[in-house]
């Protein structure tokens, strides 16, 4: 019996039993994980890491088991776990996605490129533990858009390349017009000279002044065009470099589309396969185990 200011202390034996039970469960979890690694049973490793997800996506049970809550015990070992699990996973990915090339960046960390051709793009990061291809969203969106434009008979950079080509045509015309502008400037200067030599009455002087100002404004406009023409040479070269890079990008996107269509038939099927990586990979491991 206790009064209102006290609470009943737990029995020492009961507390010991409770703690022992928790510790035993954790030890058993780690032992199971250790055994799975020793047997190289990657499927079981993934099941132990996230039991709830495994039941939902692989077993497809209506009511899956809840996670035991012990996966935090290996938080500081994720890099080693990723490194271990990556061997079979990357071998599988090379078969399923032969156009992806994986590169190790650190212990248990990998990035992947699209293609083995010159100028290939870095396409994302591989999350080994969660079985996910984390794409660079900008690059993925670019590839998706290129598929949409191809269906319309266009390339990804067609519009921009056309704009730059039109600008270069305009700049070249500006350069080609130099002789004509020089002739106009000589004619204007001659008119200004004639106005300066002309003897005028008091009433004519005002008109003469206005004419001279208009001629000088025309001369200034032509000089501005000369300056733009001088700058046009460099601008044309810059635009040509951009067009070259855009054309190269269109070529690479073409390689990527061809690789996806050859393997999956369509971009949509490719996306579905990527989204199902967890299920597809672990199901294959289950099949291999029999």
């Amino acid at each position: 019996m206790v009064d209102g200011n006290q609470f009943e202390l737990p029995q020492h034996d009961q507390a010991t039993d409770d703690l022992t039970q928790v510790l035993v469960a954790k030890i058993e979890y780690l032992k199971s994980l250790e055994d799975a690694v020793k047997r190289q049973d990657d499927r079981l490793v993934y099941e132990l890491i996230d039991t709830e997800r495994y039941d939902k996506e692989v077993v497809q049970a209506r009511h899956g088991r809840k996670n035991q809550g012990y996966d935090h015990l290996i938080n500081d070992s994720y890099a080693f776990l990723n490194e271990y699990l990556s061997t079979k996973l990357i071998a599988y990915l090379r078969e399923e996605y032969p156009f992806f090339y994986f590169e190790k960046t650190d212990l248990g960390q990998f990035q992947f490129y699209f293609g083995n051709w010159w100028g290939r793009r870095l396409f994302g990061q591989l999350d080994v533990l969660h079985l996910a291809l984390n794409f660079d969203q900008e690059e993925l969106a670019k590839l998706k858009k290129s598929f949409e434009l191809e269906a319309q008979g266009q390339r990804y950079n067609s519009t921009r390349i056309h704009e730059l080509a039109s600008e270069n045509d305009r700049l070249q015309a500006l350069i080609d017009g130099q002789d004509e502008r020089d002739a106009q400037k000589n004619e204007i200067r001659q008119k200004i000279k004639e106005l300066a030599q002309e003897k005028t009455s008091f009433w004519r002087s005002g008109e003469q002044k206005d004419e001279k100002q208009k001629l000088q404004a025309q001369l200034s406009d032509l000089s501005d065009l000369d300056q733009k023409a001088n700058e046009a040479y460099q601008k044309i070269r810059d635009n040509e470099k951009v067009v070259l890079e855009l054309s190269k990008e269109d070529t690479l996107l073409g390689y990527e589309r061809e690789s996806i269509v050859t393997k999956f038939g369509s971009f949509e099927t490719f996306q579905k396969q990527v989204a199902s990586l967890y299920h597809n990979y672990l199901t294959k491991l289950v099949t291999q185990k029999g």
Side-chain angles (χ1 to χ4, degrees):
M1 180 68 66
V2 297
D3 60 33
N5 296 321
Q6 294 179 320
F7 60 88
E8 187 175 354
L9 292 173
Q11 295 296 317
H12 183 271
D13 290 344
Q14 182 61 48
T16 300
D17 291 344
D18 292 342
L19 177 58
T20 300
Q21 185 177 359
V22 170
L23 293 175
V24 167
K26 290 184 177 183
I27 292 171
E28 288 179 350
Y29 173 81
L30 292 174
K31 187 69 171 83
S32 297
L33 191 58
E34 178 190 16
D35 290 342
V37 171
K38 285 182 177 180
R39 297 198 308 271
Q40 296 189 1
D41 189 346
D42 291 12
R43 181 210 61 79
L44 181 55
V45 172
Y46 279 108
E47 181 182 357
L48 290 168
I49 291 172
D50 193 340
T51 304
E52 189 171 7
R53 184 185 183 189
Y54 181 87
D55 284 354
K56 179 180 179 181
E57 298 190 34
V58 181
V59 181
Q60 297 183 333
R62 181 175 298 180
H63 302 291
R65 296 164 290 171
K66 293 293 183 181
N67 284 330
Q68 295 173 308
Y70 299 142
D71 53 311
H72 68 280
L73 297 173
I74 55 173
N75 283 351
D76 60 351
S77 303
Y78 279 170
F80 297 101
L81 198 56
N82 283 341
E83 186 76 16
Y84 161 75
L85 292 169
S86 67
T87 303
K88 291 180 182 178
L89 174 59
I90 291 179
Y92 168 82
L93 292 173
R94 283 171 176 162
E95 291 182 5
E96 296 300 312
Y97 305 90
F99 41 78
F100 284 156
Y101 290 80
F102 297 87
E103 177 183 77
K104 181 177 176 180
T105 58
D106 204 345
L107 182 67
Q109 295 182 20
F110 303 86
Q111 61 188 15
F112 59 96
Y113 294 83
F114 200 124
N116 62 347
W117 41 78
W118 179 87
R120 63 184 183 174
R121 295 189 293 160
L122 178 61
F123 219 67
Q125 308 292 325
L126 171 62
D127 186 339
V128 177
L129 202 62
H130 298 98
L131 287 177
L133 293 168
N134 295 327
F135 294 109
D136 181 312
Q137 291 303 308
E138 183 177 344
E139 298 294 349
L140 185 64
K142 190 181 296 183
L143 178 58
K144 180 180 180 181
K145 185 66 175 179
S146 75
F147 269 99
E148 295 170 357
L149 290 171
E150 185 194 30
Q152 303 169 20
Q154 300 180 43
R155 305 180 79 184
Y156 183 78
N157 292 307
S158 295
T159 300
R160 181 60 180 150
I161 289 175
H162 176 73
E163 291 172 350
L164 290 170
S166 297
E167 182 180 13
N168 277 2
D169 289 342
R170 180 182 62 79
L171 292 171
Q172 188 61 52
L174 189 62
I175 293 172
D176 295 342
Q178 187 66 57
D179 290 344
E180 182 180 349
R181 287 194 303 276
D182 287 343
Q184 289 177 336
K185 286 184 291 183
N186 288 333
E187 183 179 347
I188 291 171
R189 291 189 184 105
Q190 183 60 35
K191 288 181 180 179
I192 292 174
K193 183 177 180 181
E194 291 173 358
L195 283 173
Q197 295 174 347
E198 181 181 331
K199 294 181 179 180
T200 59
S201 64
F202 173 79
W203 304 107
R204 168 67 178 153
S205 62
E207 294 178 359
Q208 186 184 44
K209 182 178 180 181
D210 289 342
E211 289 178 18
K212 184 177 180 180
Q213 288 178 341
K214 289 179 182 178
L215 290 171
Q216 288 175 332
Q218 293 174 17
L219 192 62
S220 178
D221 289 342
L222 289 170
S223 296
D224 289 343
L225 289 176
D226 286 345
Q227 180 61 35
K228 291 179 180 178
N230 290 333
E231 297 170 351
Y233 289 102
Q234 183 60 47
K235 184 61 177 176
I236 287 174
R237 286 194 290 270
D238 292 342
N239 285 347
E240 287 174 344
K241 289 179 182 178
V242 174
V243 168
L244 180 60
E245 291 302 315
L246 293 175
S247 298
K248 288 179 180 178
E249 183 176 55
D250 280 338
T251 300
L252 294 179
L253 287 168
Y255 291 157
E256 293 171 5
R257 289 196 306 273
E258 182 180 353
S259 298
I260 287 176
V261 170
T262 299
K263 178 64 178 180
F264 297 101
S266 70
F267 184 71
E268 291 71 23
T269 302
F270 162 71
Q271 285 188 302
K272 289 178 181 178
Q273 288 297 107
V274 169
S276 303
L277 176 58
Y278 185 93
H279 172 269
N280 294 343
Y281 178 56
L282 294 184
T283 298
K284 182 169 184 177
L285 293 184
V286 170
T287 303
Q288 290 175 342
K289 278 289 183 180

